[in-house]
Amino acid sequence: MSDTRTGSLLSRRAIAGGAAVASIGLAAWTAMRARRAERDFPPTGQFIDVDGVRLHYLDEGEGPVVVLLHGNLVASQDFVASGLFERLARRHRVIAFDRPGFGHSERPRARIWTPQAQATSIQLALKRLGLTQAVVVGHSLGSLVAAAMALEPRLDIRGLTLISGYYYPTARADVAISAPAAMPIVGDVLRYTVSPIVARMMYGRTVQAMFAPRAVPDAFHGHVPRELVLRPSQMRATAEDAACMIPAAASMSGRYGEIDVPVRIFAGSDDAIVDTDSQSGRLYKDIAQSALSIMPGLGHMVHYDDAGRIGDAIETMALE
């Protein structure tokens, strides 16, 4: 073998060895950051074990029960940051779940966590808590979970309030981008090496798009810590939810007319994440007993900017 070929082989081996060492270092750094985040931002609610899943939830107030289901990326603390949780807890018992894999809730790999599967687990948790009825509020992807609860009720769903939801299948670039991180093995490698770096670079822009055209409120960062969001476990949940979103909407969209409880639909006219007309507007047409409120000049996180009107609608529904 010539000296040139030998040198080239040794160089490739050195590069491969260096990449392996760097990957191991990144994985260790990512794991350390995740452990530190969970130590620095411990759970503030309670836990319940349901069907082999440990769910974390916030539970405050007394009166008619209102259940809050957050969207993708975030956790139950999003409703605290918006002020909606505190507002409702003055006159209601408010339960806000960390959906499986988010916040401090587990997400076992043994099942596919479609919105329908999440709806089943949450309803079982409510029954374990001794509850028989509730008004359910969903934001963004949480709206799909809320709709699934109404379509396959395991307790008395008194009404739905759906905020900035995604209900009908469409092509989405964010799903294609998230898909690799949801894959077994490959996704595990990515979430401990490349993905945390890329996610940190994109995090600010992603959050800005969620709140656009308004500025990101300080309360969001205070209650939804970036380091909890960027843990590999929550990144897996975010990616898997994105991957399940379109199939779930496709399987459920033909059944929305079966929902027979009062439905209040809220959306922002300038939502940069979900198209308001083709999603919330279409859902309003498909559910006869629904009411639609489109907030002019607001984006995807309308529960921050108009918590008063949304809270009033939820209270009216819960007290009926």
Side-chain angles (χ1 to χ4, degrees):
M1 184 179 294
S2 68
D3 291 343
T4 300
R5 292 182 62 186
T6 301
S8 177
L9 179 60
L10 291 174
S11 177
R12 288 196 297 271
R13 287 176 175 174
I15 292 172
V21 170
S23 296
I24 293 171
L26 271 175
W29 174 80
T30 299
M32 179 195 68
R33 295 294 290 257
R35 289 193 299 270
R36 180 185 299 172
E38 291 170 352
R39 183 185 67 241
D40 292 344
F41 306 102
T44 58
Q46 304 174 54
F47 289 92
I48 186 169
D49 293 313
V50 179
D51 197 22
V53 184
R54 192 172 189 237
L55 295 177
H56 176 250
Y57 65 98
L58 308 177
D59 186 350
E60 291 186 16
E62 297 180 357
V65 176
V66 176
V67 175
L68 303 178
L69 303 173
H70 63 83
N72 214 352
L73 189 74
V74 297
S76 60
Q77 289 289 338
D78 177 58
F79 288 111
V80 177
S82 71
L84 191 58
F85 185 93
E86 181 182 3
R87 177 188 177 85
L88 292 169
R90 295 170 191 161
R91 300 177 63 190
H92 304 81
R93 181 178 179 185
V94 184
I95 300 174
F97 284 97
D98 285 344
R99 293 191 293 101
F102 295 88
H104 295 282
S105 288
E106 295 178 347
R107 191 181 182 103
R109 292 176 180 266
R111 71 190 71 174
I112 299 174
W113 286 101
T114 63
Q116 296 94 321
Q118 294 182 44
T120 297
S121 289
I122 288 166
Q123 291 192 86
L124 290 175
L126 293 171
K127 292 182 72 173
R128 284 284 304 275
L129 291 171
L131 304 176
T132 58
Q133 62 181 36
V135 167
V136 182
V137 181
H139 172 251
S140 194
L141 192 139
S143 292
L144 264 182
V145 181
M149 290 174 67
L151 287 171
E152 300 292 341
R154 292 172 179 258
L155 68 159
D156 183 10
I157 305 298
R158 305 292 295 170
L160 299 179
T161 298
L162 307 175
I163 308 167
S164 304
Y166 176 86
Y167 313 103
Y168 300 92
T170 58
R172 294 186 61 89
D174 56 343
V175 172
I177 294 171
S178 299
M183 297 171 61
I185 302 176
V186 172
D188 292 330
V189 173
L190 289 174
R191 288 192 304 275
Y192 276 91
T193 55
V194 178
S195 294
I197 303 300
V198 175
R200 277 175 169 77
M201 295 172 60
M202 296 179 60
Y203 184 78
R205 188 182 307 172
T206 299
V207 173
Q208 287 174 0
M210 289 162 55
F211 282 92
R214 300 297 184 92
V216 181
D218 292 339
F220 177 82
H221 294 302
H223 288 281
V224 186
R226 183 187 70 166
E227 292 305 317
L228 277 182
V229 172
L230 297 181
R231 291 171 300 160
S233 59
Q234 186 152 323
M235 292 178 67
R236 176 169 71 92
T238 298
E240 289 178 352
D241 271 14
C244 289
M245 185 170 66
I246 296 175
S251 66
M252 292 169 58
S253 58
R255 299 186 57 200
Y256 292 141
E258 299 175 23
I259 295 176
D260 59 0
V261 300
V263 179
R264 286 299 307 268
I265 305 167
F266 291 91
S269 64
D270 296 349
D271 192 331
I273 306 298
V274 176
D275 182 73
T276 295
D277 291 337
S278 63
Q279 296 295 331
S280 294
R282 183 176 171 185
L283 185 69
Y284 167 64
K285 296 176 182 176
D286 281 352
I287 301 178
Q289 73 286 0
S290 66
L292 173 65
S293 297
I294 297 179
M295 284 79 153
L298 298 184
H300 194 62
M301 308 295 276
V302 294
H303 55 304
Y304 281 76
D305 293 297
D306 210 343
R309 194 193 322 184
I310 294 173
D312 288 345
I314 296 168
E315 288 190 337
T316 298
M317 187 177 291
L319 294 170
E320 287 180 346

